[in-house]
Amino acid sequence: MARTFRMRCPSCGNVQNMIASGPCGKCGAPLNTEQPAAISVYRMGNFMGMANGFGIYINEQPYGAIGNKESLVIPLPYGDYKMHVVCGMNRKCNDPVFRLSPEDPYVCVKVHMKPGFIQNSFIIERVDPSTMPQG
Ligand SMILES: [Zn+2]
C-alpha cells in the first residue's frame, strides 16, 4: 500500500491526498510532497466505532479529516507545529506542539479519543516510528 500524503495548497487552501508531487486539484499550483520534514498521523480504532472523520488542524489551518484506523503523512518544512483534532462538538484536545528540525525531522503521532463525562477529548501522542502501522 502506498503512503498517503495529505497536502494543503499554500495558494488556495485546498486539502487533498496525494501519493506523489503534483498539481493542486483546485487551482493547479504545484504541490511538493518532498518536504524536509513530516508529521505522520495514525488514528487508532476506537470502541465506539465512530465513523466520523476527526478533523486535523495544524497551526490553526485545517488539514482535512482522518478516518478510523487511517494513517496519513503530512509533509512540512522545518518549523513549530501545533496540532489539534476535533470531531463534531468534541473540541478538547491536548494540542501538542512539535518542532520539526534537521535533528528531528519526522514525528509520528497516534490520535485517539478519550471518553469524558461532559464531552470527549482527543489525545495526540508522539510515538516511536516502529509502533506505527506499516502502510
Ligand atoms: Zn490550490
Side-chain angles (χ1 to χ4, degrees), residues 90-124:
N90 300 299
R91 289 166 184 279
K92 262 170 73 178
C93 178
N94 62 333
D95 289 355
V97 175
F98 300 111
R99 169 158 293 179
L100 303 181
S101 66
E103 295 74 38
D104 192 17
Y106 192 63
V107 168
C108 293
V109 300
K110 288 183 179 177
V111 179
H112 70 274
M113 193 167 78
K114 194 173 109 197
F117 182 64
I118 306 288
Q119 65 171 341
N120 302 317
S121 56
F122 294 97
I123 309 294
I124 302 169

Side-chain angles (χ1 to χ4, degrees), residues 12 19 24 37 47-48 52-53 61 64 67 73 82 89 116 126 133:
C12 73
I19 53 168
C24 168
F47 62 92
M48 284 174 280
N52 293 343
Q61 308 262 41
V73 176
K82 187 179 92 170
M89 297 301 286
R126 184 168 187 177

Side-chain angles (χ1 to χ4, degrees), residues 8-14 16 23-29 31:
R8 185 174 202 279
C9 177
S11 303
C12 73
N14 185 46
Q16 60 190 17
C24 168
K26 196 170 171 194
C27 75
L31 299 181

Side-chain angles (χ1 to χ4, degrees), residues 38-105:
I39 299 177
S40 182
V41 188
Y42 174 66
R43 175 178 159 188
M44 297 163 74
N46 75 53
F47 62 92
M48 284 174 280
M50 278 182 50
N52 293 343
F54 292 0
I56 300 172
Y57 289 78
I58 294 178
N59 289 349
E60 324 293 341
Q61 308 262 41
Y63 269 76
I66 187 165
N68 212 18
K69 295 189 178 174
E70 191 181 355
S71 57
L72 295 170
V73 176
I74 303 174
L76 293 164
Y78 298 132
D80 290 340
Y81 297 98
K82 187 179 92 170
M83 202 171 164
H84 182 70
V85 169
V86 302
C87 184
M89 297 301 286
N90 300 299
R91 289 166 184 279
K92 262 170 73 178
C93 178
N94 62 333
D95 289 355
V97 175
F98 300 111
R99 169 158 293 179
L100 303 181
S101 66
E103 295 74 38
D104 192 17

